[in-house]
């Protein structure tokens, strides 16, 4: 049970004030109180200011004997561009369980990118009376993990171009002599990291002087094919002008120009590594085997070939510890990792979930959010994340709104920034009923993993009783364990008590093991096709480029990895305008890429933006500091 | 007096082990003990892990009544490329004063750039038995200040290009309507930040609807001249391939390509702002008035014209608090800001010095390092930093080595990475004596500010008694208050006790006010010439570009700012090969630029690299984590 002294009762106001105003109206507890409520010893966490602490993975050593709590993943139906309140519901359930139902609970959330905070979207700490606080600290810098990722990602990028540059102007022997310089006594030695490359090359020697000239060449010359480089630079800013750039135009770079670009930092493979790693030693291995491109003869070139895996690990060694924060009602939150939900798997980290499950222990709850709709977020949570972690969820929540279901039933387009059509503001049960095909498919897909499905009907002020009943009826008919109306945005945990009870019952009644959608040891295409079928597709169509890449990765020995589909969240299909539950379409795979270090192959379906832009009037116009209180103004 | 419980006696080993091994051999105290030894109350600092804390500027409010301690700046003679141990001496003096002479002392150091840590140079925490610990935390991430600078710098860069992009495709009216959108009731309003631009334009209106069409155009259209943009992007990585790039080559950017480049983050004007600001409110003003380029009609465009000054302040609001760390002997260190010493002023921050002077109080000591040689570092410390802070130093230390003096006396070239010539390893008093002209000029230049000069003769194992005596004699003859041999690298504070006593006597005997080299209210050229004369120049030669820029800045009203010379540190002149004390040369000013927000004009003398590169075998090959202890290996 939660330590009662951390519980905070909210005095809610109607209409619901702006998120930042609610967040600023509550004085957060010192984070040591939250840590104590979880039974954490002071040696197992490090403060970062008064309201954040990094929980050290060393805490796991002592907790190893404790039994895991229940594991709940929150997905959603196919959303409108306005979002259906998945983060808010994740926080709301947790507040209900911890603050009203007397359960030990930890919420596991992703760290948001800082870019959109200053662009269009605003923050990502939940909303209304279901938020993580302090909201500004959650949205800005946090404990520096994304900055560490940016640094590591770009150090690797600089190493790649500089290595090509130095290889271009040096003989094999000169290169080797620089890589393994003689010390004062004239003795050469390999750096530890070099033994990884030697091993890969099958050279079992330990003394540089013993290498044959042919081995010297193979060892020292990576011979990277510039056109094959997939590693891009990153920045945690919405900077569209960096999407495509030419580098190396300075006179000192001697004409070695190359087209490349920047992604937003959360799209870095290192973010996906952070989310999927299980320990510092495992992270070291994953960072070292990230593939940045190929040699001219087609061999994959890894970070460790560049001698940089250890340095990347050092840059990431603090980032591996999740950050403890709190909800508005004083329940604990672990914020960690924030991989993209298209080109990566869109979930918080394995280490955070692991830690949380041990901290809440038997009978406790860990509630974590999966990105995008359940077709992508929950699917990847199960087939990628749980496969790597070995953890088994008992319950999957699917967040549904009357608004989105009306859209799936044939309602007019919903566009961010434009007023909603009256169809969405007035009762229309028929539209809702028609749209429930979308919910139904998400329910049946999710049930296949062996979890109980609870539908959270996230109520808006304009929703009618009859509309919500229609959702509930459809959900139960589609095999949901339960479907519950919730009002945590307006009422905090109190508004999600029924939902919390349903989740608890679902967890307690589930005894099934986790079932995957596909085994790993089939071909890349068979795995892609299994996922496509779950979308409702009749088949898959591969571009020439996709065929080529599948062949390359299979030849390079990477075909046993799980698949991470990069697909729009706005439809089960590749076409965002196909609402409801489309069927019979052919899913076009435009390209296939790989995050070998993180551990997945990602087919590209449609076009993915990995670098957002700023609008004419970005959010930053409203953001400032109140010098009298030190508080941040204008965050949304 | 220092709290005796934080004092740590070192057991020194000979020969001196590698820096990281010394650093790792000492268990640091919990930073709360260091904070307590300074009399800091817990509400005035925030932990960042166990060994770092941010000291909140709010601490100053309570300390306002307390008297300042003595203020000591550590400069150096013109160095060899190997460095003469200025940081080490800064730490050494502090360890002597705090650990052996029972004084309250705070060392104020710059935060090092992370880039060189992985490149050639290694870390910057001092060396041998005079270091700041934990060394890995000092060199990597620290408390995220440089990451915050990178984020703020690049958000502004993205805002510039995006604004040009949106202005290109929209009519004045459409632009205005987007900048001041109507709310649900159809009412428009200005964001707070927009009143800054309105004021600048002389439009005293508060209701957007009241603007005339001509005012709408002037307000909404910044009309930035792309060729005038001086704001570059930054990254804290040695990435030479970003020195010159073309951005905007993506199809969505519609051909709006532009040549630009990245500097290393510590070269950002925001770093200089951080170092020169005096409060959060002052930082808000400085960030808002940073000039990024001109409009097509030649008006300076500032960050606040883009509406972004508040957001930049929010990104920097934690960075303004200095980070408390400790030396090997348990004396307190404030690490803050790390501006370049060429295109910026190369000192730690005003707020850190301010805080430190109050914390040590009357009779205590604040020891801070100035970048490069005293011709640049101490000059800028006095004429820029002390002018803005209003603080008065009592003593300036000049670090000299027999090695560097031999070079100035005509010894062979010293090249990093190559073995030293035998002239540097064997006694040669004549060479030393000849080189003392360099020391003499640094002494007389520094004395002009009204401070007492103490020469620290940083002893190497190969230096002879006679050589050191020669330095001492020359120093005293040139007007130094004292000249003292010190061995803090080999012996820690114990090796700098005599130096500490000399510094104490110098401080206690000084009663002079600070004198500046030039007043602010003369022309830019007169100020440049005053500095050039201090170098020994006979005159100054301006390129056409420099003439043009001086005219532009004078016309724009910026001629009252202090001057920050961007000159090589390897000679008094612009030519790094001119050692000793050159005279009669004409100083060529190639260009003149400005950091209006930070508050200085910087003439460019010679070529300045603002983005280092990586060598064939960067330091990162040696860097890794020891998984059994969690310690960082291979940092140097």
């Amino acid at each position: 049970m939660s330590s009662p002294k951390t519980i905070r009762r909210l005095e809610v106001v109607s209409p619901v004030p702006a998120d930042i105003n609610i967040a600023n109206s509550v004085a957060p507890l010192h984070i040591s109180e939250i840590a104590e409520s979880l039974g954490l010893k002071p040696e197992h966490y490090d403060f970062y200011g008064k309201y954040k602490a990094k929980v050290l993975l060393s805490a796991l050593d002592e907790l190893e004997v404790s039994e895991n709590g229940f594991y709940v993943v929150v997905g959603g139906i196919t959303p409108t561009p306005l979002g259906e309140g998945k983060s808010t519901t994740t926080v709301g359930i947790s507040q209900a369980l911890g603050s009203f139902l007397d359960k030990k609970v930890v919420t596991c959330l992703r760290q948001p990118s800082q870019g959109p905070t200053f662009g269009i979207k605003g923050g990502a700490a939940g909303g209304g009376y279901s938020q993580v606080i302090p909201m500004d600290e959650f949205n800005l810098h946090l404990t520096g993990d994304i900055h560490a990722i940016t640094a590591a990602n770009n150090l690797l990028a600089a190493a790649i171009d500089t290595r090509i540059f130095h290889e271009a102007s040096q003989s094999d022997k000169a290169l080797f002599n620089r890589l393994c310089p003689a010390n004062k006594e004239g003795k050469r030695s390999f750096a530890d990291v070099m033994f990884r490359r030697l091993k890969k090359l099958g050279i079992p020697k330990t003394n540089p002087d013993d290498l044959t000239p042919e081995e010297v060449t193979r060892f020292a010359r990576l011979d990277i094919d510039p056109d094959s480089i997939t590693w891009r630079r990153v920045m945690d800013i919405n900077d569209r002008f960096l999407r495509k750039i030419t580098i190396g135009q300075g006179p000192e770079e001697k004409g070695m120009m190359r087209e490349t670009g920047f992604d937003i930092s959360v799209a870095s493979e290192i973010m996906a590594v952070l989310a999927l790693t299980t320990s510092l030693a495992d992270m070291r291995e994953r960072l070292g085997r990230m593939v940045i491109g190929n040699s001219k003869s087609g061999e994959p070139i890894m970070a460790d070939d560049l001698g940089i895996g250890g340095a990347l690990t050092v840059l990431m060694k603090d980032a591996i510890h999740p950050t403890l924060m709190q909800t508005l009602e004083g329940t604990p939150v672990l914020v960690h990792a924030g991989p993209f939900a298209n080109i990566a798997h869109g979930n918080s980290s394995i280490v955070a979930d692991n830690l949380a499950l041990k901290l809440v222990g038997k009978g406790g709850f860990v509630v974590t959010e999966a990105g995008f709709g359940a077709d992508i977020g929950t699917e990847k949570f199960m087939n990628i994340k749980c496969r790597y972690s070995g953890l088994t969820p008992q319950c999957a929540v699917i967040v549904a709104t009357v608004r989105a279901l009306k859209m799936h039933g044939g309602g007019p387009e919903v566009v961010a920034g434009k007023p909603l059509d009256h169809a969405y503001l007035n009762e229309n049960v028929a539209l809702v009923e028609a749209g429930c095909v979308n919910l139904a498919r998400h329910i049946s897909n999710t049930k296949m993993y062996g979890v109980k499905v609870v539908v959270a009907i996230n109520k808006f002020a304009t929703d009618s009783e009859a509309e919500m009943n229609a959702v509930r009826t459809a959900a139960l008919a589609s095999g949901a364990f339960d479907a519950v109306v919730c009002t945590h945005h307006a009422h905090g945990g109190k508004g999600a008590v029924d939902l919390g009870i349903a989740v608890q019952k679902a967890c307690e009644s589930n005894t099934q093991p986790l079932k995957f959608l596909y085994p790993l040891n089939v071909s890349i295409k068979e795995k892609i096709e299994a996922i496509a079928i779950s979308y409702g597709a009749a088949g898959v169509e591969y571009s020439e480029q996709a065929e080529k890449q599948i062949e390359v990765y299979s030849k390079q020995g990477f075909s046993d990895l799980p698949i991470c589909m990069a697909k729009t969240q706005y439809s089960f299909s590749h076409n965002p305008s196909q609402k409801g539950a489309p069927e019979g379409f052919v899913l076009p795979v435009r390209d296939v890429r790989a995050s070998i270090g993180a551990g997945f192959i990602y087919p590209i379906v449609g076009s993915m933006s990995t670098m957002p832009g700023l609008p004419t009037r970005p959010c930053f116009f409203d953001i400032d500091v109140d010098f009298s209180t030190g508080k941040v103004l204008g965050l949304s």
Side-chain angles (χ1 to χ4, degrees), chain A:
Chain A
M1 271 173 278
S2 284
S3 155
K5 73 171 180 170
T6 70
I7 296 305
R8 191 189 298 112
R9 288 275 173 258
L10 297 172
E11 286 178 37
V12 307
V13 173
S14 176
V16 180
D19 289 351
I20 182 83
N21 294 339
I22 295 178
N24 280 345
S25 73
V26 171
L29 294 165
H30 195 282
I31 199 65
S32 59
E33 295 189 52
I34 305 291
E36 241 173 72
S37 77
L38 283 171
L40 275 167
K41 295 184 189 163
E43 63 265 35
H44 290 319
Y45 56 91
D46 277 344
F47 294 114
Y48 279 66
K50 297 177 178 64
Y51 310 119
K52 292 170 298 192
K54 274 196 174 279
V55 181
L56 306 177
L57 295 195
S58 58
L60 272 176
D61 302 341
E62 280 181 36
L63 291 165
E64 242 175 28
V65 289
S66 118
E67 250 183 80
N68 279 357
F70 293 119
Y71 195 21
V72 180
V73 61
V74 179
I77 61 168
T78 304
T80 71
L82 309 176
E84 310 317 308
K86 224 162 41 197
S87 307
T88 306
T89 304
T90 306
V91 175
I93 298 174
S94 304
Q95 291 185 162
L97 286 165
S99 185
F100 289 87
L101 298 170
D102 235 10
K103 301 295 176 196
K104 227 171 169 177
V105 64
V106 171
T107 319
C108 288
L109 287 180
R110 283 172 289 169
Q111 180 187 357
S113 167
Q114 214 164 258
T117 305
F118 294 98
I120 298 184
K121 185 175 155 293
Y129 287 101
S130 293
Q131 289 190 58
V132 182
I133 55 170
M135 177 202 178
D136 57 328
E137 299 193 22
F138 179 84
N139 283 308
L140 302 171
H141 305 309
L142 196 73
T143 49
D145 297 351
I146 294 183
H147 294 320
I149 288 167
T150 305
N153 184 99
N154 293 344
L155 179 61
L156 176 50
I160 295 166
D161 283 302
T162 319
R163 180 65 176 250
I164 296 175
F165 178 78
H166 289 302
E167 285 194 18
S169 63
Q170 293 177 42
S171 71
D172 296 351
K173 206 178 149 205
L175 199 56
F176 184 71
N177 288 346
R178 284 215 173 78
L179 289 170
C180 303
N183 66 9
K184 281 179 190 165
E185 289 81 44
K187 242 187 93 66
R188 298 182 189 285
S189 60
F190 290 118
D192 278 351
V193 70
M194 293 176 176
F195 288 106
R196 293 170 182 253
R197 177 159 174 80
L198 289 166
K199 193 179 165 195
K200 179 179 159 185
L201 298 173
I203 302 174
K205 299 181 178 173
T206 55
N207 183 348
D209 293 327
D210 293 347
L211 264 59
T212 66
E214 185 259 343
E215 286 170 340
V216 162
T217 300
R218 287 174 61 216
F219 173 79
R221 195 163 290 281
L222 302 185
D223 207 27
I224 297 169
D225 174 5
D227 293 332
S228 78
I229 299 173
T230 49
W231 197 261
R232 290 158 58 89
R233 290 168 175 81
V234 300
M235 192 182 272
D236 197 21
I237 308 273
N238 288 14
D239 193 347
R240 55 185 295 165
F241 277 77
L242 296 182
R243 285 170 185 162
K244 196 168 174 188
I245 66 174
T246 298
I247 61 169
Q249 297 180 318
E252 290 154 321
E253 282 60 66
K254 301 176 186 166
M256 291 190 55
M257 297 175 215
R258 185 168 77 79
E259 257 188 18
T260 179
F262 278 70
D263 295 326
I264 195 156
S265 297
V266 290
S268 169
E269 179 173 349
I270 297 180
M271 176 60 95
V273 167
L274 179 65
L276 290 174
T277 192
T278 50
S279 69
L280 188 61
D282 172 76
M283 185 167 76
R284 167 70 188 86
E285 296 306 315
R286 286 177 189 264
L287 292 173
R289 68 171 178 254
M290 294 187 304
V291 172
I292 59 93
N294 299 326
S295 69
K296 286 182 184 143
S297 63
E299 292 299 310
I301 300 294
M302 296 174 171
D304 273 337
D305 290 316
L306 288 149
I308 206 169
L312 301 182
T313 309
V314 166
L315 281 168
M316 291 292 295
K317 79 180 175 58
D318 298 326
I320 202 174
H321 307 296
T323 299
L324 184 65
M325 293 188 73
Q326 63 192 290
T327 65
L328 282 169
E329 297 185 15
T331 65
V333 179
L334 283 178
V335 187
H336 205 211
F340 258 36
N342 46 33
I343 61 158
H345 65 294
N347 299 143
S348 168
S349 80
I350 287 177
V351 292
D353 288 1
N354 240 331
L355 206 49
L357 286 164
K358 293 289 181 197
L359 284 170
V360 300
K362 193 178 175 180
F365 291 83
V366 172
V367 188
T368 187
E369 184 196 349
F372 283 9
D375 51 330
I376 300 171
T378 305
E379 185 271 307
K380 293 178 180 179
F381 172 83
M382 303 290 184
N383 290 303
I384 301 176
K385 186 178 176 186
C386 290
R387 182 140 23 197
Y388 277 120
S389 70
L391 297 170
T392 301
Q394 287 74 39
C395 170
V397 173
I398 297 180
V399 179
T401 62
V402 164
R403 178 177 68 194
L405 291 170
K406 282 177 172 172
M407 175 187 74
H408 289 297
E413 201 184 349
V414 177
V415 182
K418 287 205 182 149
L420 275 176
D421 188 275
H422 68 94
Y424 295 104
L425 304 170
N426 298 287
E427 184 176 282
N428 189 332
V429 178
L431 263 191
V432 175
E433 283 174 342
C436 281
V437 290
N438 183 272
L439 174 61
R441 186 180 288 166
H442 284 296
I443 293 172
S444 59
N445 276 3
T446 305
K447 280 186 69 180
M448 289 197 308
Y449 297 106
V451 292
K452 300 284 179 192
V453 173
V454 172
V455 174
I457 307 167
N458 186 14
K459 184 184 185 308
F460 293 3
T462 46
D463 298 345
S464 78
E465 205 65 33
E467 288 173 331
M468 291 183 294
N469 279 337
V471 183
R472 194 174 138 75
T473 306
L476 295 174
S478 306
F481 177 83
D482 204 346
V484 187
V485 173
C486 44
T487 62
H488 43 273
H489 186 274
H491 302 117
K494 202 174 174 182
V497 167
D498 290 345
L499 178 61
I501 293 171
V503 165
Q504 182 187 347
K505 283 189 186 156
C507 286
E508 288 169 352
S509 72
N510 190 9
T511 53
Q512 288 195 61
L514 176 58
K515 280 171 276 190
F516 297 118
L517 192 57
Y518 54 82
L520 291 182
N521 61 354
V522 297
S523 73
I524 292 176
K525 283 193 175 178
E526 283 171 282
K527 286 183 273 197
I528 292 175
E529 281 147 27
I531 300 170
I533 289 167
S534 81
Y535 296 159
V540 181
E541 189 177 79
Y542 300 91
S543 73
E544 208 176 303
Q545 168 71 7
E547 293 279 6
K548 191 191 110 196
Q549 286 307 109
I550 290 173
E551 202 189 309
V552 167
Y553 294 132
S554 302
K555 213 169 96 187
Q556 290 179 339
F558 301 136
S559 64
D560 274 359
L561 293 173
I563 300 297
C564 182
M565 296 292 264
K567 180 183 77 74
T568 177
Q569 61 177 318
Y570 294 118
S571 170
F572 268 110
S573 80
H574 54 286
N575 177 357
S577 64
Q578 282 195 299
K579 303 301 180 188
E583 273 185 339
F585 57 90
V586 175
L587 195 77
V589 174
R590 189 166 61 78
D591 196 357
V592 175
R593 298 187 196 150
S595 286
I596 301 300
F600 53 76
I601 303 278
Y602 62 102
I604 311 276
V605 178
S607 64
M608 295 294 135
S609 170
T610 47
M611 176 54 96
L614 293 170
T616 303
R617 187 192 187 287
C619 306
F620 64 60
F621 272 92
D622 299 312
I623 298 176
D624 211 328
V625 181
D626 177 340
F627 298 116
S628 62
T629 61
K631 283 192 175 166
V632 173
L633 305 172
L635 273 188
S636 58

